[in-house]
Amino acid sequence: MATPVVTKTAWKLQEIVAHASNVSSLVLGKASGRLLATGGDDCRVNLWSINKPNCIMSLTGHTSPVESVRLNTPEELIVAGSQSGSIRVWDLEAAKILRTLMGHKANICSLDFHPYGEFVASGSQDTNIKLWDIRRKGCVFRYRGHSQAVRCLRFSPDGKWLASAADDHTVKLWDLTAGKMMSEFPGHTGPVNVVEFHPNEYLLASGSSDRTIRFWDLEKFQVVSCIEGEPGPVRSVLFNPDGCCLYSGCQDSLRVYGWEPERCFDVVLVNWGKVADLAICNDQLIGVAFSQSNVSSYVVDLTRVTRTGTVTQDPVQANQPLTQQTPNPGVSLRRIYERPSTTCSKPQRVKHNSESERRSPSSEDDRDERESRAEIQNAEDYNEIFQPKNSISRTPPRRSEPFPAPPEDDAATVKEVSKPSPAMDVQLPQLPVPNLEVPARPSVMTSTPAPKGEPDIIPATRNEPIGLKASDFLPAVKVPQQAELVDEDAMSQIRKGHDTMFVVLTSRHKNLDTVRAVWTTGDIKTSVDSAVAINDLSVVVDLLNIVNQKASLWKLDLCTTVLPQIEKLLQSKYESYVQTGCTSLKLILQRFLPLITDILAAPPSVGVDISREERLHKCRLCFKQLKSISGLVKSKSGLSGRHGSAFRELHLLMASLD
């Protein structure tokens, strides 16, 4: 028998020249573990697919070195902060600049995307933390409390809190709804470089230059345990997706820790130097490090790493016998996040602090487009990752294959790795469902209710027509020995139902022609009324898809007509109808909800003002319809995947209705 090949537990995957000058920051896409973004002193942000040698896209626009980069959970947006304090957000699928955010007075040290809403948090050397609304291009809140540079920011999995770590040796927890600090965690004796929330439980980990990792209980606001004896400053930590352990990227090694009690499960030697970021995919941990203009990527096979149970060696407490306390992984030791009930809409009503934070997005969008470019360097990889032919194929995600492990050799280190071969190319999964929404631990399954009662959703893009089966058009095969079907008989069977389908499509075409005739007169409201009067949701969807592309077409009287139709669309079994309804409702909430609430809260006017009375009547009608829809949105905010994310964001926007 052939001797089985012994493969490596950890190996170097690739080394690339990422920029023309020094690399200053980088980040991995946490959902896929296959997308890498790098920022350089050349003021560019470059996008890479792990284990592929060529740059996918290069983003320009910054005029100073890029100090911090961050990808959002679906890996559709990227934000980059520069040494000058400016922040730019790009839409990777559209390959263009989305927003430029100005307000910080020093270089940007840390960034993070809100898990559900379209918000970005930024921390700067000016000691301020700012919460930005990407849609309105403005700062909605400023958090003050740190006395030195803010090195790391992380939103909690439920989106309610923001954790910050700074050079002033402290970790702070901020309540987004109340707009104030909840708690401060002292204890570190050096700058705190990184914080990370547990994926399920009320637990926070922080790593510091004092060579310790501390775990904080977010119910009692006290330290749970402290791991000492790290070989160097702690710069990168990551919880396992099921929350069973914490990985720490140390100097040339990966360490696996538990916290109750504090202990080290395993140590894996990886010659990655100072690792800058970690991600997990397919039971493999991906680590990336940079030196000058080069970026190296490494892989650790987690199936061969001890992540729980009995410990054979403990560098943390090497001189003391370890008490065997292995908590039952099925029992949660503390509270778990309740994601569907997330609300963080109140900061939106906070007044802006300066003129630079009140700028209108429409006044500078053209200049942003001129100054910033997204240069597609590799069209094939870009189309595969960001422009899939099947736009809905990102949900559910296509699972990527793990990187093949090389055979074990006698050498202790791998000094050089040749360019990756085509056989090792890995296809990037499209919009993976975040681990936050699908916890693996049994004890946390109940935190996100399973949508058992929901009807099956018919995908917007599919391989087979809904309601039509090929077998319906062919004679049933009764016996295997049946004679071969004559061509004419086969054709007659295939034509079955054609007349019915033709009548349906012809009727729809006539309806659209009717709406189009009204549309050409320039009266949008009347054209929408005519579409609603036809009583065919497919026509309403076609019309809304056009109106949604230009927000300026929306008026208050249009909302009164469209909102009842949106309620029907959100309950539809067709995915495309639900998507259109969510988009329209989002536009209405962003543009008109503040106006509606202000008008309804205003005191009654003196005298007769017919136009004001009409506007008040429309606002009352819209408010009543929005209240009706809010219950539906709340009930669907517990769904997982793309739909759940859209409904959770709508639920946030509608929080002021309660």
Side-chain angles (χ1 to χ4, degrees):
M1 293 178 61
T3 304
V5 178
V6 180
T7 57
K8 295 180 179 180
T9 302
W11 65 95
K12 185 175 183 178
L13 189 66
Q14 180 189 32
E15 184 171 349
I16 56 175
V17 178
H19 289 267
S21 57
N22 288 343
V23 176
S24 50
S25 57
L26 56 74
V27 69
L28 281 166
K30 298 299 184 290
S32 68
R34 294 295 187 267
L35 189 62
L36 170 68
T38 60
D41 288 350
D42 57 3
C43 310
R44 285 177 174 260
V45 178
N46 292 338
L47 276 296
W48 309 82
S49 181
I50 293 291
N51 203 31
K52 292 189 178 181
N54 299 319
C55 177
I56 302 171
M57 191 189 311
S58 185
L59 308 173
T60 64
H62 278 299
T63 55
S64 58
V66 178
E67 294 287 315
S68 181
V69 289
R70 190 76 177 171
L71 290 157
N72 72 337
T73 302
E75 298 175 8
E76 295 171 338
L77 303 178
I78 186 171
V79 59
S82 72
Q83 206 172 72
S84 65
S86 67
I87 301 170
R88 290 177 184 261
V89 184
W90 285 272
D91 185 327
L92 298 179
E93 291 190 337
K96 69 174 185 179
I97 184 75
L98 195 62
R99 287 286 181 266
T100 298
L101 308 171
M102 307 292 289
H104 282 291
K105 298 177 182 178
N107 57 312
I108 306 299
C109 303
S110 53
L111 294 161
D112 197 26
F113 277 97
H114 190 275
Y116 301 138
E118 293 181 352
F119 300 96
V120 167
S122 61
S124 169
Q125 199 159 5
D126 64 11
T127 73
N128 288 327
I129 301 168
K130 295 195 175 187
L131 184 65
W132 306 86
D133 188 332
I134 301 175
R135 301 159 301 190
R136 299 180 182 178
K137 198 179 182 179
C139 175
V140 294
F141 214 90
R142 183 191 316 194
Y143 304 94
R144 295 177 177 178
H146 285 292
S147 58
Q148 296 186 43
V150 181
R151 293 296 174 186
C152 185
L153 293 173
R154 290 292 182 270
F155 284 103
S156 62
D158 62 359
K160 291 181 180 179
W161 301 333
L162 178 67
S164 60
D167 286 352
D168 59 9
H169 306 183
T170 65
V171 175
K172 297 181 187 293
L173 189 66
W174 308 87
D175 188 322
L176 299 182
T177 304
K180 64 181 181 180
M181 185 176 69
M182 289 178 59
S183 182
E184 178 177 329
F185 301 110
H188 284 293
T189 57
V192 187
N193 302 315
V194 62
V195 285
E196 199 72 40
F197 281 94
H198 190 282
N200 306 316
E201 301 175 6
Y202 277 29
L203 184 74
L204 182 72
S206 59
S208 169
S209 294
D210 63 8
R211 301 188 179 189
T212 66
I213 299 173
R214 291 178 179 267
F215 295 89
W216 309 94
D217 189 310
L218 300 184
E219 284 184 278
K220 302 176 182 177
F221 300 110
Q222 63 187 26
V223 66
V224 175
S225 59
C226 177
I227 293 175
E228 301 175 347
E230 285 283 282
V234 182
R235 303 184 187 279
S236 184
V237 297
L238 181 68
F239 279 101
N240 199 65
D242 65 359
C244 67
C245 64
L246 179 82
Y247 302 103
S248 174
C250 307
Q251 178 77 28
D252 287 328
S253 67
L254 174 73
R255 299 194 173 208
V256 189
Y257 292 120
W259 50 89
E260 288 176 318
E262 62 270 23
R263 60 223 191 271
C264 182
F265 291 130
D266 207 347
V267 178
V268 181
L269 297 179
V270 191
N271 294 303
W272 51 26
K274 296 179 181 179
V275 64
D277 199 19
L278 304 171
I280 294 175
C281 182
N282 294 330
D283 263 336
Q284 290 183 333
L285 183 139
I286 314 298
V288 285
F290 62 90
S291 176
Q292 296 181 340
S293 62
N294 292 351
V295 173
S296 302
S297 53
Y298 298 80
V299 181
V300 179
D301 185 355
L302 295 181
T303 61
R304 300 175 61 180
V305 174
T306 304
R307 289 178 273 185
T308 185
T310 305
V311 184
T312 56
Q313 181 182 5
D314 188 359
V316 179
Q317 298 176 341
N319 299 326
Q320 302 176 15
L322 189 69
T323 306
Q324 296 300 325
Q325 298 181 21
T326 305
N328 184 353
V331 178
S332 178
L333 298 177
R334 53 184 59 81
R335 284 182 62 187
I336 58 177
Y337 296 105
E338 299 174 357
R339 297 177 182 82
S341 62
T342 303
T343 58
C344 72
S345 59
K346 291 186 180 179
Q348 297 181 42
R349 296 193 291 273
V350 176
K351 293 183 179 179
H352 300 309
N353 296 309
S354 67
E355 183 64 31
S356 63
E357 295 168 5
R358 293 196 295 266
R359 297 175 182 173
S360 169
S362 59
S363 64
E364 297 181 355
D365 285 347
D366 292 340
R367 192 181 71 181
D368 289 346
E369 293 261 3
R370 291 194 300 271
E371 293 179 354
S372 302
R373 296 192 309 277
E375 302 170 0
I376 299 174
Q377 310 278 1
N378 189 323
E380 182 178 349
D381 285 346
Y382 169 78
N383 290 330
E384 175 186 344
I385 296 169
F386 298 114
Q387 294 290 331
K389 294 178 181 177
N390 184 348
S391 60
I392 310 301
S393 64
R394 289 189 145 206
T395 307
R398 295 197 300 266
R399 187 170 177 81
S400 61
E401 293 298 322
F403 294 113
E408 190 68 74
D409 53 22
D410 295 334
T413 61
V414 181
K415 294 185 179 179
E416 290 187 6
V417 176
S418 60
K419 287 188 176 182
S421 63
M424 293 176 66
D425 286 353
V426 177
Q427 191 174 25
L428 188 71
Q430 308 301 327
L431 187 58
V433 178
N435 289 330
L436 303 179
E437 298 178 15
V438 192
R441 294 174 64 175
S443 62
V444 189
M445 285 295 185
T446 56
S447 66
T448 304
K452 294 180 180 178
E454 293 294 328
D456 293 333
I457 298 294
I458 298 176
T461 310
R462 46 198 175 266
N463 297 325
E464 297 180 357
I466 298 298
L468 298 176
K469 297 181 180 179
S471 58
D472 293 341
F473 298 91
L474 298 172
V477 180
K478 296 181 180 180
V479 290
Q481 293 80 16
Q482 184 178 4
E484 186 175 344
L485 191 66
V486 181
D487 289 347
E488 293 181 359
D489 294 338
M491 289 299 295
S492 64
Q493 294 290 345
I494 292 173
R495 291 192 185 98
K496 179 183 178 182
H498 169 76
D499 293 339
T500 304
M501 180 62 70
F502 182 78
V503 170
V504 171
L505 293 178
T506 302
S507 173
R508 184 175 179 184
H509 188 267
K510 289 180 179 179
N511 291 337
L512 288 172
D513 276 342
T514 302
V515 176
R516 181 177 175 274
V518 182
W519 179 277
T520 53
T521 64
D523 191 343
I524 308 300
K525 173 66 165 58
T526 307
S527 61
V528 173
D529 288 339
S530 64
V532 172
I534 292 172
N535 199 24
D536 185 352
L537 275 182
S538 62
V539 177
V540 175
V541 168
D542 289 339
L543 187 60
L544 286 179
N545 284 332
I546 297 172
V547 178
N548 289 342
Q549 293 179 16
K550 193 170 184 181
S552 60
L553 295 176
W554 286 91
K555 306 296 179 187
L556 189 60
D557 55 351
L558 186 63
C559 298
T560 60
T561 304
V562 172
L563 281 171
Q565 303 302 311
I566 290 178
E567 188 170 6
K568 295 178 183 177
L569 295 178
L570 296 182
Q571 300 178 73
S572 173
K573 64 179 180 180
Y574 296 103
E575 184 180 36
S576 60
Y577 288 18
V578 177
Q579 288 174 349
T580 300
C582 287
T583 303
S584 300
L585 182 57
K586 185 177 174 182
L587 282 169
I588 292 173
L589 292 172
Q590 290 172 350
R591 292 180 64 86
F592 297 104
L593 185 57
L595 173 67
I596 292 171
T597 53
D598 289 346
I599 290 177
L600 293 179
S605 61
V606 179
V608 179
D609 187 342
I610 297 177
S611 61
R612 186 183 184 281
E613 290 298 324
E614 289 178 349
R615 187 164 61 250
L616 181 62
H617 173 71
K618 293 174 185 176
C619 288
R620 285 173 177 166
L621 187 58
C622 288
F623 188 83
K624 182 179 179 182
Q625 292 167 340
L626 287 171
K627 284 287 288 183
S628 175
I629 295 175
S630 66
L632 174 63
V633 170
K634 184 177 181 180
S635 67
K636 289 181 175 288
S637 61
L639 294 174
S640 60
R642 188 166 189 169
H643 278 308
S645 179
F647 280 113
R648 278 189 291 275
E649 183 177 2
L650 291 173
H651 184 47
L652 288 176
L653 294 172
M654 302 179 81
S656 60
L657 293 172
D658 298 333

